[in-house]
Amino acid sequence: MSLKAGIVGLPNVGKSTLFNAITKKNILAANYPFATIEPNVGVVTVPDKRLEFLENLYLPKSLVPTTFEFTDIAGLVRGASHGEGLGNKFLSHIREVDAIVEVVRCFADNDITHVEGKVDPIRDIEIINVELILADLEIVESRINKIIKKAETTKDKAALAEVAILKRCQESLLNNNPLRNLEYTSDEKEIIKNFNFITLKPIIYVANVDEESAISGSNEYIELVKEYAQKESTKVIIMSAKIESELSELDEESKIEFLKELGISNSGLDLLIRATYELLGLQTFFTAGPDEVRAWTFIKGMKAPKCAGIIHSDFERGFIKAEVMSFSDLELYKDEKAVKEAGKLRLEGKEYVMQDGDICYFRFNV
């Protein structure tokens, strides 16, 4: 399932350092390294302790974690929506991602120049967000101008409905409000999905901090970003890109020891990967046996046949039933036989909505 998150930010906020740490990341399976698809695209494994349990239980020949992509998008500057800096190239790249990871500088360092002269995380966030809003506004107004006369003249229902939702989008954008903050009916979602609006994409903020703030989990800048993010009902991940860069050079054992010495329980990068996975609305089901234990990514709300199709199209086409047990039950009862004896192994049909942590065997006939 090819979903990707785009890393954005002003120049010199630590965006590239963070991406470089991501590109060296290798979680859980030593034989599943980071892969480069393009110079600025990296595939990263999603940390999941459930895989460790399944590996110890089944002792499989291979272990395959679930993954998704991070894209390092060129730094944005004020005026990008009007072509400043990389301008249109930046905006076209960000339209291609499914979620936005916005890196915000939350540390002071006289040796690292800030493009705006001084550190001010809220100003930085708003520079980027305003540019994205202006880019969406241009598309909205262009489309309204193109169809409004036809809609009003012909009274065509579809055209009138499109104008109505676009005008609501226009009003929101003119009030400096990203489109993700509006609520939409299913019909409205269908109308606007093809415009690929940037401000409709879910967003998460990364507060890039110094080592001391990474350990304490707080500083004056972080609190400002948290307050801002709260208004958008989104998360803030606190991390030091410098620390993450150092961690990326270590093996797993050394990494754990280094974190312990710093007094940090989890790598900020691990937290970011998990939070972005959830931001994209992704969940995990498993297939497990002596040959392979594998995690599969699906979109929350998918039904069993669609999930079977992620493995192979024939599984979806000829779907009959899914044998399902939850990871929590397997963890509790320790093996498949005990799960079955406890009546926790289920047969689910075509309408079953898959749940995070389901362990499945799909029955099919083609």
Side-chain angles (χ1 to χ4, degrees), residues 326-340:
S326 68
F327 175 82
S328 58
D329 286 334
L330 183 60
E331 189 177 35
L332 176 64
Y333 293 104
K334 307 303 182 189
D335 62 51
E336 286 187 17
K337 184 181 177 184
V339 170
K340 191 172 183 179

Side-chain angles (χ1 to χ4, degrees), residues 182-199:
L182 295 182
E183 291 185 4
Y184 305 92
T185 65
S186 55
D187 288 341
E188 287 172 337
K189 287 178 183 176
E190 195 64 28
I191 291 169
I192 65 174
K193 72 176 184 181
N194 294 325
F195 291 104
N196 206 11
F197 291 127
I198 298 174
T199 66

Side-chain angles (χ1 to χ4, degrees), residues 10 74 81 109 111 118 129 172 194 237 243 247 256 275 288 316-318 320 330 358:
L10 295 178
S81 58
D109 188 334
D111 293 331
K118 67 173 185 176
N129 290 357
S172 179
N194 294 325
I237 302 297
I243 290 176
L247 284 169
I256 292 168
E316 180 178 1
R317 190 156 52 92
I320 301 171
L330 183 60
D358 279 349

Side-chain angles (χ1 to χ4, degrees), residues 132-133 136-137 140 165-166 168-174 176-184 192 195-201 232:
L132 302 186
I133 282 170
D136 280 351
L137 185 60
V140 168
I165 182 57
L166 287 176
R168 195 153 72 86
C169 290
Q170 181 186 39
E171 182 183 2
S172 179
L173 294 168
L174 286 170
N176 204 29
N177 185 37
L179 298 181
R180 73 180 73 88
N181 294 340
L182 295 182
E183 291 185 4
Y184 305 92
I192 65 174
F195 291 104
N196 206 11
F197 291 127
I198 298 174
T199 66
L200 197 57
K201 300 177 190 296
E232 290 205 309

Side-chain angles (χ1 to χ4, degrees), residues 193-219:
K193 72 176 184 181
N194 294 325
F195 291 104
N196 206 11
F197 291 127
I198 298 174
T199 66
L200 197 57
K201 300 177 190 296
I203 193 167
I204 194 168
Y205 295 102
V206 173
N208 183 22
V209 301
D210 54 32
E211 184 175 309
E212 185 180 332
S213 299
I215 294 167
S216 68
S218 181
N219 69 29

Side-chain angles (χ1 to χ4, degrees), residues 6-289:
I7 303 174
V8 304
L10 295 178
N12 294 338
V13 296
K15 184 174 64 68
S16 295
T17 305
L18 172 61
F19 182 75
N20 289 339
I22 286 172
T23 63
K24 294 174 184 173
K25 188 148 187 66
N26 177 25
I27 303 167
L28 293 176
N31 62 346
Y32 200 92
F34 158 81
T36 299
I37 299 173
E38 295 173 17
N40 65 335
V41 179
V43 177
V44 65
T45 57
V46 179
D48 195 329
K49 290 189 179 299
R50 294 173 297 187
L51 273 177
E52 296 175 23
F53 176 87
L54 293 173
E55 183 181 25
N56 291 332
L57 179 64
Y58 288 96
L59 303 175
K61 293 174 186 173
S62 69
L63 178 74
V64 184
T66 190
T67 66
F68 69 93
E69 294 177 14
F70 274 107
T71 301
D72 183 23
I73 295 171
L76 176 147
V77 295
R78 194 190 295 271
S81 58
H82 300 295
E84 294 296 325
L86 289 175
N88 294 332
K89 186 177 181 182
F90 169 91
L91 295 168
S92 67
H93 286 168
I94 201 170
R95 286 194 193 283
E96 294 170 7
V97 303
D98 301 287
I100 299 169
V101 176
E102 188 167 328
V103 182
V104 188
R105 180 169 164 178
C106 290
F107 66 91
D109 188 334
N110 293 332
D111 293 331
I112 302 176
T113 305
H114 193 291
V115 70
E116 289 289 323
K118 67 173 185 176
V119 177
D120 182 342
I122 302 306
R123 178 208 55 215
D124 293 356
I125 289 172
E126 290 183 342
I127 286 173
I128 288 183
N129 290 357
V130 164
E131 294 302 328
L132 302 186
I133 282 170
L134 289 173
D136 280 351
L137 185 60
E138 183 180 350
I139 290 174
V140 168
E141 292 183 337
S142 174
R143 180 60 180 169
I144 289 173
N145 291 336
K146 189 173 181 180
I147 67 166
I148 192 167
K149 188 173 180 181
K150 174 191 172 184
E152 291 174 346
T153 303
T154 65
K155 303 299 181 187
D156 179 77
K157 285 185 178 179
L160 287 169
E162 184 177 345
V163 169
I165 182 57
L166 287 176
K167 281 192 170 181
R168 195 153 72 86
C169 290
Q170 181 186 39
E171 182 183 2
S172 179
L173 294 168
L174 286 170
N175 286 316
N176 204 29
N177 185 37
L179 298 181
R180 73 180 73 88
N181 294 340
L182 295 182
E183 291 185 4
Y184 305 92
T185 65
S186 55
D187 288 341
E188 287 172 337
K189 287 178 183 176
E190 195 64 28
I191 291 169
I192 65 174
K193 72 176 184 181
N194 294 325
F195 291 104
N196 206 11
F197 291 127
I198 298 174
T199 66
L200 197 57
K201 300 177 190 296
I203 193 167
I204 194 168
Y205 295 102
V206 173
N208 183 22
V209 301
D210 54 32
E211 184 175 309
E212 185 180 332
S213 299
I215 294 167
S216 68
S218 181
N219 69 29
E220 59 180 313
Y221 303 127
I222 293 170
E223 299 312 309
L224 291 171
V225 176
K226 281 184 175 179
E227 187 180 329
Y228 189 97
Q230 193 171 13
K231 294 172 187 173
E232 290 205 309
S233 301
T234 191
K235 290 184 178 180
V236 177
I237 302 297
I238 301 164
M239 71 163 68
S240 164
K242 184 173 181 292
I243 290 176
E244 297 303 326
S245 181
E246 292 172 6
L247 284 169
S248 69
E249 303 287 349
L250 304 175
D251 59 36
E252 195 64 24
E253 191 176 327
S254 301
K255 179 180 130 180
I256 292 168
E257 188 60 35
F258 183 41
L259 287 171
K260 192 184 293 182
E261 287 175 10
L262 292 174
I264 300 173
S265 55
N266 288 293
S267 154
L269 197 45
D270 286 356
L271 295 175
L272 174 62
I273 291 167
R274 171 54 61 186
T276 308
Y277 191 74
E278 293 170 358
L279 184 72
L280 286 165
L282 303 180
Q283 294 184 323
T284 304
F285 74 88
F286 302 96
T287 51

